[in-house]
Amino acid sequence: MKETIKRTPFVFFVILSLVVAISSTYAVYYFIVLQTVGSINNEEVLQHNEQVAVSASSYFDSKLEKQISTLIGIEVAHHNIELDGTTFDDEYYETILNQNEYISSIEILDLSGIVIYSSRENINRQGIDLSSYPIIENADTLHTLYIGGLTYDTTIDTMTLEVVYVGEDIYLLSTISTEYFDLYYSDFKNSFGSKNILILNDKGIVIFDNVKQNHLIQYHYSDYDLIIDKSEENSTFESEIYGENSIVTVAHLENGDWHLWLYEDVDSALSLSQTINSYVAVLFSFVVAIFATIYLVFDYIMIRELSNLGRNLEIVGTGKFEPIQDTMSFKEIIDVRGKFNDMNLQLKDITLKLSNAAYHDNLTGLPTKNKANLDFDKWYESSESISFLYLDISRFSMINDNYGFDVGDYCLKEISAILLTIFDYVYRVEGDEFLCLLKNDDFKSIEVKTDKLYSRLHKGISINDYQYSIPFTMGLSVYPKDGDKFFELMKKSVIAMNESKNLNDGYLTVFRDEYSIQYLRMARIELLIRNAIKNKEIYTVYQPIITIKDRKIRGFEALSRWKNDELGVVNPDEFIPILERIGLINQLDEMVINNAIKLNKYLCDYYKTKFVMSVNLSVTTIMSDRFVTIIEEAIERFSYDPTLLELEITESTIISDFDLITEKMNHLKRRGVKFSEDDFGDGFSSLTYLSRLRLDTLKISKNFLSSILSNLESRVLVQTILELSKRLGFYTIVEGVEDEETLDIFEMFGCDYVQGYLFYKPMQMEKILQLVQKEKE
Ligand code: C2E
Ligand code: CA
């Protein structure tokens, strides 16, 4: 239902309301106005007809009354004459006839029906026996007037009515002229043109008929009984008279037991009311038409305005904020247009701000990745290649943590400025991550630019008078080789960049498909490792470190292993960086410290010997407030000799916050804890740092080893390092030694200890116990 209303166009309601308006107006007209006006008029006509009929009937009644009283007077006079013996002569009757203009003849009959006097010219009528004359035959009640039929009286050339009055001694037979009917009617016609009069006696014989003159032929009106029956209920009614639909009023005439029918054609009777009705109808139609027109015009304007507004809203939807032109219209519409235009201006303003916010980074002033997306979409069709160079500043959070956000922000601005000196299109993706788009650059020219960037960032930014070198990693993906969608390409550049994370500072990894697989594996690792420590899936193994001189065990390095049902054995190189990123490395390092101390305590006590236990520490572990406490608590817990604990830290850890770390190191060193620099040779190892650090041991990175056999230069370098470190008072451990040849070289250069598969791989605690047991035997 809602759906239909939603989709129904406004014009439907307009037409519907118009139809309802017109039909309801007509309904009011037909059922109320027409009926009221019509019936009032009918009523008036009927009442009027009734009055006319009554007055006509009383007129005729009184006329007949007069004749009757004259006849009664004659009879009375006769009776008296009989009594006093006088007779009447012709003069007497002539006088009476003259005085009564409608009595056209008088005849006196004795009671046996013999004419004894006749006023008619024909004298011969005296002595005629009229006893069998129908009217005389029927007249049998004393003092009663009987009215007979109409006859044509040639002497006076008019219709006459035969009447008999029964006296005590005589029958008084008289003819009464009906001329007065005509006379009356001619007056009547002048007043009531369309009305007709029909007078009938009680047998239905027409006495007077102004229309058909049927009284001349003794006409019997066939539907007489029907009309009379109808009149018994209501004196005025509608009926057919001579085949015409008429309004009929029936009135009774007392003296002859006659009926007077006043009738009139329905149409002409009601012509007045019909005229009024048609006027009303025309008026109504006119009013409805005017209303309809106004309504339609109004609706037309409203629909036009609404669709206009709709069109403009559509335009706004496309991001164009054009104002609606003001044309003539209703005030309200103009108001709405005004408000619409105001809204447009505000929207324009807000959209501009939003797009600025979406496309521009406030801090650095660089465009955002949304803008990069737009640019890429604009360029890619016309470009041979577009390279996505993704750049992440390593350990940037440390700058924020150590120097505060102001310095962090300053660094980001500086980095942005440096990037802009090298690349044309630089975008800030988020935090310390940037994207550079390079149009049609080949790999060589990209490398030239990234090298330039490396030397520039490595030179560093000056913070608090200290030139802080900015380590970073980069990843590269290229359109169309690696895809043609912006986000796909960006993701691949991020994947490549993540590959660089475990490599040297400033390293650029070019995306390869297998990285995606690794990326998915990393995502899986990240998900599963959260429960790994809790579920004891991560355990500790120990790799013996051997004294080169006597090949005896100097101690062990504790290393972590993770075995997962789904992933199998996961390399620490894979999961340690993830644990560092998700902030769980502290838990692992604490666990390893405790395991390692516990085992070494047992070994040293049991075999009455002194092994050095080395434990790797992540930078976040050292940075944590609890670091010193964790170490001290472990030492306390196992009553452990701190001098048998060597903590391995990397160079990048040390330089991340030199002061803080040296402070913590010094604190622990005072208790006897030893420190070694892990992976020496991987970074930009500077021996000046080393001198300030008061380290105990240097662990020469196994990465260093690969070239040592073949490359004389690196051999000289190693020799120099070993000599220097000896001079600085450090012990040296060489890691990752797998063959005798390498060992020989290190032995020759005076390296103290060796850790490598040549002797032992990292082993589980049980194996270590067996190994020590064997050595001590
Ligand atoms: P690392 O500190 O440099 O540890 C030495 C790595 O070299 C170990 O790898 C060890 O198994 C491997 N190695 C030893 N001898 C040889 C050899 O002759 N040839 C070769 N190819 N490799 C050898 P692993 O155990 O995979 O550890 C990798 C890195 O993970 C470690 O490098 C260390 O930085 C980190 N790590 C391991 N366990 C922990 C831990 O519990 N905490 C922290 N924070 N880091 C850990
Ligand atoms: Ca180590």
Side-chain angles (χ1 to χ4, degrees):
M1 186 65 195
K2 259 187 174 169
E3 276 296 297
T4 17
I5 289 174
K6 254 192 223 161
R7 278 198 239 113
T8 312
F10 185 55
V11 72
F12 171 79
F13 291 102
V14 172
I15 292 170
L16 185 74
S17 49
L18 203 64
V19 169
V20 170
I22 293 174
S23 49
S24 53
T25 311
Y26 269 102
V28 168
Y29 166 66
Y30 269 116
F31 295 110
I32 301 176
V33 179
L34 204 61
Q35 295 304 314
T36 317
V37 174
S39 62
I40 287 167
N41 281 290
N42 289 347
E43 205 79 9
E44 278 174 357
V45 171
L46 302 186
Q47 272 179 17
H48 185 242
N49 280 9
E50 269 171 27
Q51 283 165 10
V52 174
V54 167
S55 85
S57 65
S58 56
Y59 171 81
F60 292 118
D61 248 348
S62 70
K63 278 284 173 199
L64 206 57
E65 181 86 50
K66 197 177 170 207
Q67 321 307 328
I68 291 165
S69 52
T70 304
L71 294 179
I72 292 169
I74 294 170
E75 195 274 335
V76 171
H78 246 281
H79 187 62
N80 292 341
I81 287 164
E82 288 288 302
L83 288 178
D84 62 13
T86 51
T87 54
F88 287 95
D89 52 11
D90 288 347
E91 214 174 313
Y92 170 74
Y93 291 107
E94 264 168 41
T95 315
I96 287 176
L97 287 173
N98 286 340
Q99 283 172 355
N100 291 279
E101 50 180 329
Y102 299 120
I103 297 183
S104 54
S105 76
I106 297 170
E107 281 181 322
I108 312 289
L109 283 71
D110 64 15
L111 290 178
S112 60
I114 308 293
V115 176
I116 50 175
Y117 168 77
S118 175
S119 70
R120 302 191 180 193
E121 305 283 284
N122 192 352
I123 279 299
N124 292 341
R125 282 182 64 91
Q126 268 187 8
I128 293 174
D129 184 357
L130 294 178
S131 60
S132 57
Y133 197 54
I135 190 169
I136 302 294
E137 243 182 353
N138 289 334
D140 50 8
T141 310
L142 190 60
H143 298 306
T144 306
L145 182 81
Y146 291 91
I147 298 173
L150 287 169
T151 53
Y152 188 69
D153 192 334
T154 48
T155 53
I156 53 170
D157 190 21
T158 185
M159 288 301 289
T160 56
L161 199 60
E162 224 169 22
V163 298
V164 168
Y165 185 75
V166 184
E168 286 185 36
D169 311 310
I170 53 167
Y171 288 111
L172 202 55
L173 179 64
S174 175
T175 53
I176 295 168
S177 160
T178 59
E179 208 184 349
Y180 68 90
F181 286 94
D182 284 322
L183 289 173
Y184 175 82
Y185 186 72
S186 65
D187 279 352
F188 178 90
K189 191 160 182 64
N190 289 337
S191 312
F192 316 108
S194 58
K195 298 187 202 309
N196 299 303
I197 289 175
L198 194 62
I199 298 174
L200 304 103
N201 70 9
D202 58 347
K203 311 239 166 4
I205 305 292
V206 174
I207 306 287
F208 176 73
D209 177 355
N210 74 290
V211 175
K212 303 232 173 194
Q213 301 293 305
N214 272 337
H215 52 272
L216 302 180
I217 53 165
Q218 292 286 311
Y219 180 81
H220 178 266
Y221 193 89
S222 56
D223 285 340
Y224 172 78
D225 291 337
L226 188 87
I227 304 276
I228 293 303
D229 282 354
K230 277 194 185 176
S231 74
E232 260 154 32
E233 261 184 42
N234 210 330
S235 61
T236 301
F237 48 88
E238 223 179 284
S239 186
E240 275 197 0
I241 301 290
Y242 291 135
E244 296 277 329
N245 203 17
S246 309
I247 298 285
V248 187
T249 307
V250 175
H252 189 244
L253 273 73
E254 289 298 327
N255 286 316
D257 198 9
W258 294 344
H259 286 105
L260 181 139
W261 296 0
L262 182 85
Y263 68 95
E264 190 176 4
D265 180 53
V266 169
D267 290 344
S268 73
L270 303 178
S271 64
L272 177 68
S273 70
Q274 268 159 4
T275 313
I276 292 171
N277 288 345
S278 14
Y279 277 126
V280 170
V282 169
L283 192 71
F284 257 92
S285 311
F286 189 63
V287 169
V288 167
I290 288 180
F291 267 102
T293 313
I294 294 172
Y295 194 56
L296 275 177
V297 170
F298 175 75
D299 281 338
Y300 168 73
I301 294 171
M302 287 307 285
I303 288 168
R304 195 191 59 190
E305 294 295 344
L306 280 177
S307 32
N308 201 10
L309 201 64
R311 253 196 316 279
N312 279 283
L313 281 172
E314 238 169 49
I315 294 172
V316 169
T318 65
K320 291 184 192 131
F321 302 100
E322 283 163 16
I324 307 183
Q325 295 304 318
D326 248 345
T327 49
M328 283 282 289
S329 188
F330 299 118
K331 180 187 167 298
E332 288 78 2
I333 296 283
I334 293 172
D335 283 355
V336 170
R337 280 191 209 142
K339 281 175 188 148
F340 178 88
N341 287 342
D342 288 351
M343 178 197 77
N344 245 357
L345 282 178
Q346 281 170 7
L347 274 180
K348 194 175 180 174
D349 194 42
I350 291 168
T351 312
L352 200 73
K353 281 182 188 150
L354 277 179
S355 80
N356 270 344
Y359 294 133
H360 282 95
D361 171 48
N362 271 343
L363 176 71
T364 58
L366 289 178
T368 60
K369 74 162 180 260
N370 293 334
K371 180 71 170 64
N373 192 356
L374 280 187
D375 287 346
F376 174 77
D377 288 348
K378 206 159 60 191
W379 297 334
Y380 80 102
E381 271 174 352
S382 59
S383 304
E384 237 169 66
S385 75
I386 299 175
S387 302
F388 283 57
L389 182 73
Y390 204 93
L391 203 128
D392 178 43
I393 308 299
S394 312
R395 301 183 294 280
F396 186 77
S397 58
M398 284 188 335
I399 299 182
N400 279 335
D401 294 345
N402 295 330
Y403 300 104
F405 285 100
D406 284 354
V407 174
D409 287 352
Y410 162 77
C411 281
L412 287 173
K413 281 194 235 174
E414 287 293 295
I415 293 166
S416 306
I418 292 168
L419 283 168
L420 281 173
T421 61
I422 300 166
F423 302 100
D424 295 333
Y425 302 103
V426 182
Y427 310 85
R428 184 171 176 213
V429 180
E430 58 182 22
D432 55 357
E433 290 174 26
F434 299 86
L435 174 71
C436 304
L437 293 184
L438 298 104
K439 279 202 281 180
N440 304 326
D441 273 23
D442 58 16
F443 188 67
K444 267 240 146 359
S445 85
I446 295 171
E447 256 187 339
V448 169
K449 287 177 182 172
T450 52
D451 285 350
K452 207 165 151 193
L453 180 69
Y454 175 76
S455 57
R456 187 63 196 79
L457 288 182
H458 187 64
K459 207 167 104 200
I461 297 166
S462 139
I463 304 170
N464 300 343
D465 295 332
Y466 174 67
Q467 198 67 13
Y468 186 89
S469 160
I470 308 288
F472 67 101
T473 45
M474 287 179 291
L476 186 82
S477 68
V478 183
Y479 159 83
K481 179 175 75 70
D482 299 319
D484 58 3
K485 302 272 178 316
F486 176 81
F487 281 104
E488 181 190 5
L489 285 157
M490 192 167 88
K491 191 176 153 198
K492 288 182 173 173
S493 68
V494 173
I495 291 172
M497 187 268 295
N498 279 323
E499 284 297 315
S500 303
K501 282 214 161 148
N502 301 327
L503 303 170
N504 292 342
D505 175 27
Y507 196 87
L508 170 67
T509 305
V510 181
F511 176 80
R512 295 219 306 261
D513 282 338
E514 54 261 40
Y515 294 160
S516 278
I517 301 160
Q518 275 173 27
Y519 187 77
L520 288 176
R521 180 176 157 85
M522 293 310 261
R524 208 64 203 133
I525 290 176
E526 185 169 334
L527 188 80
L528 294 171
I529 201 151
R530 289 174 192 274
N531 290 323
I533 301 175
K534 202 168 59 201
N535 295 347
K536 299 209 167 17
E537 285 174 16
I538 299 182
Y539 56 92
T540 317
V541 291
Y542 307 88
Q543 187 177 24
I545 297 172
I546 309 297
T547 311
I548 295 182
K549 228 185 254 162
D550 57 10
R551 306 289 200 262
K552 289 225 164 93
I553 297 173
R554 181 248 188 182
F556 312 92
E557 178 177 3
L559 295 159
S560 290
R561 293 287 174 266
W562 177 25
K563 196 156 180 271
N564 176 265
D565 288 344
E566 182 191 320
L567 300 167
V569 177
V570 184
N571 199 320
D573 287 329
E574 278 184 298
F575 68 81
I576 298 287
I578 293 175
L579 281 178
E580 281 174 344
R581 196 168 69 244
I582 63 178
L584 293 177
I585 191 70
N586 303 12
Q587 284 181 37
L588 178 78
D589 283 351
E590 188 174 350
M591 182 187 91
V592 177
I593 287 165
N594 280 284
N595 287 347
I597 288 180
K598 189 178 172 189
L599 174 68
N600 203 34
K601 167 78 180 166
Y602 171 79
L603 290 174
C604 295
D605 285 1
Y606 192 82
Y607 294 105
K608 307 245 175 320
T609 179
K610 286 189 173 181
F611 293 132
V612 178
M613 182 58 84
S614 305
V615 179
N616 293 285
L617 287 179
S618 207
V619 62
T620 31
T621 307
I622 303 170
M623 287 302 192
S624 91
D625 294 342
R626 286 193 65 243
F627 167 63
V628 175
T629 321
I630 287 170
I631 304 292
E632 286 180 332
E633 274 178 7
I635 292 169
E636 299 294 305
R637 188 174 302 128
F638 298 104
S639 310
Y640 188 73
D641 175 1
T643 59
L644 300 181
L645 179 65
E646 188 166 71
L647 298 176
E648 298 191 1
I649 51 179
T650 59
E651 183 189 27
S652 57
T653 306
I654 299 161
I655 59 174
S656 66
D657 189 342
F658 189 84
D659 293 340
L660 185 69
I661 286 170
T662 43
E663 190 193 315
K664 291 185 180 192
M665 277 171 70
N666 289 339
H667 182 90
L668 290 172
K669 273 186 81 65
R670 279 195 290 276
R671 296 206 53 177
V673 177
K674 292 191 170 70
F675 282 89
S676 69
E677 182 176 330
D678 209 355
D679 300 326
F680 186 81
D682 272 355
F684 343 91
S685 311
S686 143
L687 289 166
T688 38
Y689 276 140
L690 293 179
S691 60
R692 290 166 59 195
L693 262 174
R694 298 180 59 221
L695 286 166
D696 300 278
T697 314
L698 275 189
K699 290 190 83 176
I700 297 165
S701 167
K702 61 181 175 293
N703 295 328
F704 223 78
L705 266 59
S706 52
S707 55
I708 206 149
L709 289 178
S710 53
N711 192 322
L712 188 69
E713 242 174 81
S714 43
R715 216 185 282 197
V716 171
L717 184 69
V718 169
Q719 191 180 7
T720 319
I721 290 171
L722 286 169
E723 274 171 16
L724 255 173
S725 58
K726 197 148 265 172
R727 242 180 270 163
L728 289 168
F730 303 142
Y731 291 107
T732 46
I733 302 175
V734 57
E735 276 185 301
V737 175
E738 293 178 358
D739 53 88
E740 292 284 355
E741 250 181 307
T742 313
L743 179 66
D744 289 347
I745 294 170
F746 278 91
E747 190 171 11
M748 193 169 71
F749 293 156
C751 181
D752 304 301
Y753 306 105
V754 58
Q755 177 184 353
Y757 296 170
L758 177 63
F759 294 94
Y760 303 101
K761 286 196 167 178
M763 295 178 281
Q764 296 217 26
M765 189 181 71
E766 296 75 21
K767 281 262 169 71
I768 294 290
L769 291 175
Q770 288 170 15
L771 175 72
V772 174
Q773 172 75 33
K774 227 166 107 192
E775 202 183 82
K776 293 289 165 191
E777 277 170 5

